[in-house]
Amino acid sequence: MKDAPRVDVAGCGWQYSRMDARTTWLVANWKMNGSAAAVRDWAVAVNAALVPLHPRLAVTFCPPAIYLEDARSVLPESPALQLGAQNCHHEVKGAFTGEISAAMLVDKGCHMVIVGHSECRNRGDCDNIVINKAKAAIDAGVMPLICVGESLADYEQQRTFAALDAQLVGIGGLDSSRFAIAYEPVWAIGTGRTPTVAQISAAHSHIKSVLGTGVNVLYGGSVNAGNIHEILALPDVSGALIGGASLEIQSMCALMQRAARAIEGK
Ligand code: PGA
């Protein structure tokens, strides 16, 4: 692994060579969970398990920002496992107590940052702020993974596409090679409920019809080792954003194995 070349893909920071357009990404979002020791143990074990799996399978680990350095300290120089962050501020610097800029994330080795997660939107991140965060990330050289998704009410009233369109308006102005989208129905996050594969497929192709076919769209919301295969087997799905099922080493490794099998069949 030490000799694997690092390439700068689309100006989004130094990335491991697996990260080409055909790569399938598993993004582990730990939210506000874990400890320094748990982060180190997970990074070592998941990196080791990932290396022999499919060359087009990549994992991005998003621990709480305070533990990024703990993860980095145990990873080899050219890890299969990349680091990401759960959020950033939209300003470059200044009097924003408690906030972290995109450039700081790059400084700590992140290649990706999640923006617009529904849990952040619930705390006040409107579409405008989400776009500005994505712009700040792109300017700093870290790839924003922009989360979009309909509420339960929109889903029940069959307004999924309209809800997505409202969130996608500003994103359409960004360079589509510099960001990725996570389609996360709000009602599927942490609930154990998921849309049908036909609904996931329809939402992903709708997003691509708005933003361009070249955009990578990941699915998120109650992904686990039992459903990852059928989700990743869909042609318009470039990967998955995984919360709860990513926390335990065993469950993450099971998920990666199923993901590798799904890629083989693609
Ligand atoms: P979940 O979370 O996998 O626990 O549903 C996904 C997310 O919120 O990113």
Side-chain angles (χ1 to χ4, degrees), residues 74-137:
V74 296
L75 290 171
E77 202 183 310
S78 297
L81 175 67
Q82 295 283 308
L83 289 180
Q86 299 175 14
N87 200 2
C88 68
H89 198 266
H90 56 277
E91 295 287 352
V92 172
K93 64 176 181 175
F96 304 104
T97 302
E99 299 289 347
I100 297 173
S101 75
M104 292 170 186
L105 299 176
V106 173
D107 204 16
K108 284 290 164 188
C110 290
H111 83 109
M112 180 186 281
V113 57
I114 300 168
V115 298
H117 192 284
S118 73
E119 289 152 15
C120 299
R121 289 179 186 262
N122 281 343
R123 295 198 303 271
D125 282 10
C126 61
D127 286 329
N128 206 25
I129 286 182
V130 173
I131 304 300
N132 286 335
K133 287 185 174 193
K135 281 184 187 156

Side-chain angles (χ1 to χ4, degrees), residues 1 36 44-45 53 60 73 75 81 89 112 120 127 169 223 235 256:
M1 293 307 295
V44 169
L53 287 177
T60 300
S73 71
L75 290 171
L81 175 67
H89 198 266
M112 180 186 281
C120 299
D127 286 329
V169 170
V223 174
M256 292 189 315

